[in-house]
Amino acid sequence: MPKVTAQGKTFECDSGSNLRKVLLEHGIELYNGNAKIINCMGIGTCGTCAVQVEGEVSEPNWKDKARR
Ligand code: FES
């Protein structure tokens, strides 16, 4: 089970989970300023929830590749 550490909190999630949803469910602040209100809600078009990931992750899907 993957372990996630962010903003001083550490928790586990199911393999294959949506990281944005997991972080928000655990009270992690992903957004700054107006992006808290105006963001794409995880569609992957605004980039405001971008995070740096360390460790083993799944291969990028088509949305990840298109965004990059
Ligand atoms: S909320 Fe994550 S890319 Fe827009």
Side-chain angles (χ1 to χ4, degrees):
M1 189 170 269
K3 187 182 294 184
V4 177
T5 300
Q7 297 175 358
K9 298 179 182 176
T10 299
F11 41 88
E12 294 183 336
C13 64
D14 292 330
S15 183
S17 295
N18 178 303
L19 182 57
R20 176 184 172 274
K21 290 180 182 175
V22 169
L23 292 171
L24 291 173
E25 287 168 3
H26 286 84
I28 302 301
E29 289 286 336
L30 283 178
Y31 302 105
N32 295 316
N34 289 337
K36 291 179 184 175
I37 301 166
I38 304 168
N39 62 69
C40 74
M41 305 296 287
I43 294 172
T45 58
C46 72
T48 58
C49 69
V51 295
Q52 181 177 351
V53 178
E54 297 175 359
E56 188 176 332
V57 296
S58 60
E59 290 294 316
N61 64 21
W62 68 270
K63 279 201 299 189
D64 298 326
K65 291 177 182 173
R67 177 74 186 145
R68 292 175 193 168

